[in-house]
Amino acid sequence: MVGAPHAHLGPQFDPLAGLRATADPPWDVYLTGTVFLDIIFTGLDSAPVRGTESWARGMGSSPGGVANMATALARLGLRTALAAAFGDDHYGEYCWDVLEQGEGIDLSPSRTVPGWHSPVTVSMAYEGERTMVSHGHEPPPDADFMQEGALACPPRARAAVASLIPGRRSPWIAEAARRGTRIFGDVGWDETGAWDLAALPDLEHCEAFLPNAEEAMRYTGTGCPRAAARALTAFVPVAVVTLGADGAYAVDRRTGETAEVPAIAVEALDPTGAGDVFVAGFVTGTLAGWPLADRLAFAGLTAALSVQEFGGSLSAPGWSEVAAWWRKVQSVAAQDPAALRRYAFLEDLVPETCAEPWPRRRAVPTIGFGRSV
């Protein structure tokens, strides 16, 4: 499917409108990391078979990597800043333009690195799963601070999302926390196999930690994700463990709150970026001051909406999709009264003017022909 470049005109709803003051930080959320160009093949009936040629019925492209998280936050109305290195090739220009002009993400902490080509990921979606192949080169030494997230003096922001890497400390995290930024930590698979929380030194600066169930149980040596979440609160105030098709469970050590929200049953087309969208939804609810259960429910809802679309940043929902979903739930309340009760907090949040038919399929953008002059 070939479409026009995604034209996102900025958030139609500000979830923090009632909390803003003149002395606030300029940004709601700060991110740093690697931006990939994602090329997504869709409409595959099965996985590619060795020695054969497979044809996809659809193809698109979008910024990926840390751009998935940045886009998800921006579409939920948060003022988002991204520090990343961009190649000076056509791919880098495309990603920069989509993020800055299309999504309204502030790239002033980012820069273009001459002579460095953009990392690329090819993603093939089929049967609700995905297979990815990535390629990239190490950035030049003078761009390491951007790629590794070790920016010495991060800008002022209400929050930051940090990817914790076993055995590595990122100085910018401690500095941001010292300046009052609320740190939300996520983590990937521990390739070392040690699964040692002591090897995540920046966890001490995090307000919340959001691993999946397998990661949480391995890090805590427990056999139950709920027990793992409780054990993690010895290291971080808020532990959120995602349970896949079973939803998510969270514990807040400071308030004593616990919450468990089941997943929303949807037809999953592509799970790419769903974890990033979940974190973005939880960060949004936290900054807005919602109760733990509402934050968890909202994060799960945004993730469920995202897996119904192809691609990572392409699939991130905005308030129009949230509002349309809520109106749909209200219209079939007799069929699902539990959902009506669980998401009743949305009634005073979703803007009436954002409602659109749901589910909605976005046009999938492809790379254009360069910047306009």
Side-chain angles (χ1 to χ4, degrees):
M1 176 179 180
V2 178
H6 183 65
H8 185 70
L9 301 179
Q12 297 176 308
F13 176 70
D14 181 0
L16 307 185
L19 303 175
R20 299 196 183 279
T22 55
D24 285 345
W27 293 312
D28 296 325
V29 187
Y30 168 74
L31 299 169
T32 183
T34 303
V35 173
F36 287 74
L37 171 71
D38 282 357
I39 300 174
I40 307 111
F41 289 103
T42 65
L44 289 164
D45 296 320
S46 62
V49 177
R50 184 173 62 181
T52 67
E53 181 179 17
S54 298
W55 279 82
R57 291 187 291 274
M59 190 200 100
S61 57
S62 65
V66 71
N68 293 339
M69 178 77 71
T71 300
L73 291 162
R75 289 186 181 181
L76 290 177
L78 298 185
R79 299 170 184 176
T80 304
L82 172 62
F86 288 79
D88 64 348
D89 53 7
H90 187 58
Y91 294 165
E93 291 180 351
Y94 168 78
C95 290
W96 185 293
D97 287 347
V98 170
L99 294 174
E100 183 179 60
Q101 300 175 20
E103 304 294 347
I105 296 166
D106 191 328
L107 297 181
S108 57
S110 297
R111 62 186 172 119
T112 298
V113 180
W116 181 59
H117 82 67
S118 304
V120 176
T121 292
V122 175
S123 176
M124 293 163 281
Y126 51 87
E127 298 174 351
E129 295 294 338
R130 45 126 186 232
T131 297
M132 297 187 293
V133 178
S134 296
H135 171 73
H137 294 283
E138 290 293 321
D142 63 348
D144 279 348
F145 80 97
M146 205 72 80
Q147 295 300 107
E148 300 300 328
L151 194 62
C153 187
R156 289 178 62 237
R158 295 174 188 262
V161 180
S163 182
L164 307 183
I165 302 174
R168 183 179 302 175
R169 186 183 290 274
S170 296
W172 75 265
I173 297 176
E175 177 60 20
R178 186 189 67 80
R179 299 172 67 185
T181 297
R182 303 165 73 175
I183 309 296
F184 295 77
D186 65 8
V187 70
W189 190 258
D190 186 356
E191 299 292 347
T192 71
W195 298 102
D196 182 7
L197 286 169
L200 300 177
D202 288 322
L203 190 60
E204 65 178 330
H205 304 297
C206 294
E207 173 178 330
F209 184 44
L210 299 95
N212 65 33
E214 185 66 23
E215 294 159 351
M217 289 188 291
R218 286 178 179 267
Y219 270 118
T220 58
T222 57
C224 167
R226 293 158 187 81
R230 293 190 292 271
L232 286 171
T233 59
F235 301 87
V236 65
V238 179
V240 180
V241 176
T242 55
L243 310 174
D246 293 327
Y249 180 80
V251 182
D252 189 328
R253 182 186 70 207
R254 298 166 303 186
T255 64
E257 289 178 280
T258 62
E260 182 166 3
V261 176
I264 297 172
V266 295
E267 178 188 358
L269 296 180
D270 183 1
T272 304
D276 294 322
V277 172
F278 182 94
V279 173
F282 190 82
V283 170
T284 300
T286 300
L287 295 184
W290 303 347
L292 184 63
D294 292 352
R295 287 181 268 162
L296 207 61
F298 185 73
L301 168 60
T302 54
L305 293 175
S306 78
V307 301
Q308 296 176 93
E309 306 284 348
F310 288 109
S313 61
L314 287 172
S315 69
W319 282 98
S320 59
E321 287 94 336
V322 173
W325 180 87
W326 175 236
R327 303 305 171 213
K328 180 71 172 180
V329 168
Q330 290 178 309
S331 70
V332 294
Q335 300 177 32
D336 195 357
L340 188 65
R341 293 191 301 270
R342 186 178 304 117
Y343 295 92
F345 68 94
L346 291 175
E347 179 60 29
D348 296 327
L349 289 172
V350 294
E352 294 286 345
T353 57
C354 281
E356 298 178 3
W358 180 87
R360 179 168 71 86
R361 293 288 178 262
R362 288 188 189 86
V364 180
T366 56
I367 298 174
F369 297 98
R371 287 180 171 148
S372 59
V373 290

